[in-house]
Amino acid sequence: MSDKGKTADAVNGADGANTALDAPWWAGLGAVGGVVLVLLGVGGALVLFLGGFDVEGHLAVLHGAAKLVAIGLVVAGTTLFARSRGVGGGGTGDHDEAETDVP
């Protein structure tokens, strides 16, 4: 049977209760978690470079450190951007009130 006519819940076989399981592991970190990931990635890369860099042995570890930095930058950046725009309840909402007062 084709999944064409089914809803997303019917295809997944869920009623929406396990939506947290579909989210990536970094989804709830926030700005502080993003900064921590960046620092861990940069620290790991520095340890590899300062401790003697063996290209064949440490290339995978360096790639992992780069992924930590990239994920950390995205998480911290999007969280701070959402807070500055007042999206998601993290902001003060001053921008929203100023826009609604205009007739």
Side-chain angles (χ1 to χ4, degrees):
M1 180 176 203
S2 168
D3 291 338
K4 218 177 208 182
K6 296 181 179 180
T7 64
D9 291 337
V11 170
N12 293 335
D15 57 354
N18 65 350
T19 56
L21 297 177
D22 295 334
W25 60 269
W26 63 81
L29 291 178
V32 175
V35 171
V36 168
L37 284 178
V38 170
L39 292 176
L40 283 173
V42 169
L46 283 176
V47 166
L48 287 177
F49 284 123
L50 295 177
F53 187 71
D54 179 23
V55 174
E56 292 147 8
H58 296 296
L59 195 57
V61 177
L62 187 62
H63 182 255
K67 288 195 312 187
L68 279 178
V69 170
I71 291 171
L73 286 173
V74 169
V75 168
T78 55
T79 303
L80 293 175
F81 182 71
R83 286 184 186 173
S84 71
R85 299 287 297 161
V87 178
T92 60
D94 294 336
H95 302 293
D96 295 336
E97 292 172 8
E99 291 177 4
T100 57
D101 291 339
V102 178

